[in-house]
Amino acid sequence: MTLASLDQALAPFRRIEAAQLWVGLISMGLAFALSYVLSRRVTGPIERLADVAEAARAGRFDQPVPPGGADEVGRLARAFDGLMAELKEEREMEAYLQTISRALPDVPPAPPSEAAIAPPGTLIAGRFEVL
């Protein structure tokens, strides 16, 4: 046994060690790639919701809200879609009321009648006195 070469005896173990190293590196690379793909799949709908929120903040309510599934992101997308629809309707109502108000003639308000004004010394609601 003392005459046998140590390198020759350890050669199979070194091959196993090198194979384990390569398998480990390849596994880590595949795990990294798979985790990246899965994380993009999870964060993708949230990114699209954030883009729609930024567009809404800028006043553009016509951006489509990405559809969601049955998870929390889907619930958030449905709630956000409802809010966007309400904001869009509110914006349309404001524009409609502005259009109508511009079409109305400018009529000064009528002064209150003398009967609507209480005479001096009158106590209103037990607290206010007309001077």
Side-chain angles (χ1 to χ4, degrees), residues 48-73:
R48 289 190 292 276
L49 279 175
D51 292 341
V52 172
E54 287 176 354
R57 187 167 187 252
R60 297 185 320 267
F61 299 110
D62 57 345
Q63 301 293 319
V65 177
D71 59 352
E72 293 83 6
V73 175

Side-chain angles (χ1 to χ4, degrees), residues 13-100:
F13 296 108
R14 298 216 192 269
R15 283 195 303 267
I16 291 172
E17 186 180 46
Q20 283 181 337
L21 180 65
W22 282 109
V23 168
L25 289 175
I26 291 170
S27 297
M28 286 178 56
L30 289 174
F32 176 74
L34 183 62
S35 67
Y36 179 78
V37 168
L38 291 176
S39 69
R40 294 301 297 167
R41 184 174 178 188
V42 169
T43 60
I46 296 172
E47 269 187 47
R48 289 190 292 276
L49 279 175
D51 292 341
V52 172
E54 287 176 354
R57 187 167 187 252
R60 297 185 320 267
F61 299 110
D62 57 345
Q63 301 293 319
V65 177
D71 59 352
E72 293 83 6
V73 175
R75 288 178 40 212
L76 179 63
R78 286 188 295 279
F80 196 73
D81 192 32
L83 288 172
M84 291 291 290
E86 288 177 18
L87 286 172
K88 187 176 181 181
E89 289 173 4
E90 200 173 290
R91 175 72 56 97
E92 290 171 356
M93 182 60 75
E94 287 175 4
Y96 175 71
L97 291 175
Q98 284 178 354
T99 303
I100 288 177

Side-chain angles (χ1 to χ4, degrees), residues 93-118:
M93 182 60 75
E94 287 175 4
Y96 175 71
L97 291 175
Q98 284 178 354
T99 303
I100 288 177
S101 69
R102 287 186 192 120
L104 293 175
D106 290 334
V107 178
S113 65
E114 289 293 324
I117 300 175

